[in-house]
Amino acid sequence: MYKAVGSRGSRVSRVLWMLEELGEPYEFVVVHLRSPEAYALNPSGKVPILIDDKLTVTDSAAICVYLADKHADKGMGANPGIAGRAEMDSWMHFAQSEFEAPLWNKLRHRFLLPKEVRVDVGPAATYDFISELQALDRRLGDKPFALGDRFSAVDVMLGDMGGWARAGKFPIESERVNAYFDRVLARPARAKAQANGGSMK
């Protein structure tokens, strides 16, 4: 059985969602950011962490890709061939390095950084988010999901970020992207993951 390690409401929500989509049994282990328990599993002290027998995988995107590859028969991974892998990698890097960046920047300055170094990054974060939202709109085009006609690990990542953006009151002024977020966030596996530890209690 997999162990999904993290704290409620953190990026572990993506790992739980992925495991629910795959129908794989797991145990959710509550470990907080930069705790001794987190440092014992990840040199950076960050969560989420996936434990699969003797293997430890860190970073939510890496975990989702690992699970998609391991359970390739479930159809959550890349399209066939090296081109399919490049396409998925491009989406994953966009999601975590670009689309999520303004969300993370605002969150850090609102809740995570020591109070003495926090600044008001709200306007800048919103400005950057609008630009990334437009990029997401163009990347999606007329496709129902990131990789085409099927839901994949990329949609787990982007959907979770969409939920985060909506909770943070970021402006989502794109009918296409809003419809996409509605579609992926309505999946039953998402609701189960949120109930099992993906959301704050």
Side-chain angles (χ1 to χ4, degrees), residues 105-122:
N105 193 27
K106 183 177 179 180
L107 177 70
R108 291 175 71 237
H109 283 277
R110 287 285 177 89
F111 302 109
L112 301 178
L113 291 173
K115 289 184 178 180
E116 62 271 17
V117 300
R118 294 180 191 176
V119 296
D120 182 10
V121 299

Side-chain angles (χ1 to χ4, degrees), residues 101-177:
L103 307 177
W104 176 236
N105 193 27
K106 183 177 179 180
L107 177 70
R108 291 175 71 237
H109 283 277
R110 287 285 177 89
F111 302 109
L112 301 178
L113 291 173
K115 289 184 178 180
E116 62 271 17
V117 300
R118 294 180 191 176
V119 296
D120 182 10
V121 299
T126 298
Y127 177 86
D128 288 340
F129 178 77
I130 290 171
S131 176
E132 299 305 337
L133 185 79
Q134 292 168 348
L136 177 57
D137 184 287
R138 291 189 294 268
R139 289 184 72 123
L140 282 172
D142 295 326
K143 301 190 299 291
F145 301 108
L147 299 185
D149 293 330
R150 63 182 176 84
F151 183 86
S152 74
V154 177
D155 302 302
V156 169
M157 294 289 293
L158 288 170
D160 191 72
M161 292 170 190
W164 184 1
R166 286 178 169 179
K169 309 298 184 187
F170 280 85
I172 304 177
E173 297 176 354
S174 163
E175 290 185 11
R176 176 182 286 153
V177 174

Side-chain angles (χ1 to χ4, degrees), residues 10-58:
S10 72
R11 290 183 177 105
V12 77
S13 58
R14 302 163 190 179
V15 178
L16 303 183
W17 186 0
M18 188 74 187
L19 288 164
E20 290 288 353
E21 291 283 356
L22 294 170
E24 290 296 318
Y26 63 88
E27 176 187 359
F28 174 47
V29 181
V30 177
V31 168
H32 295 287
L33 178 72
R34 295 192 174 90
S35 64
E37 295 84 1
Y39 278 115
L41 294 168
N42 182 357
S44 72
K46 294 181 179 180
V47 295
I49 301 160
L50 180 76
I51 300 174
D52 180 11
D53 194 17
K54 296 180 181 179
L55 176 66
T56 299
V57 187
T58 62

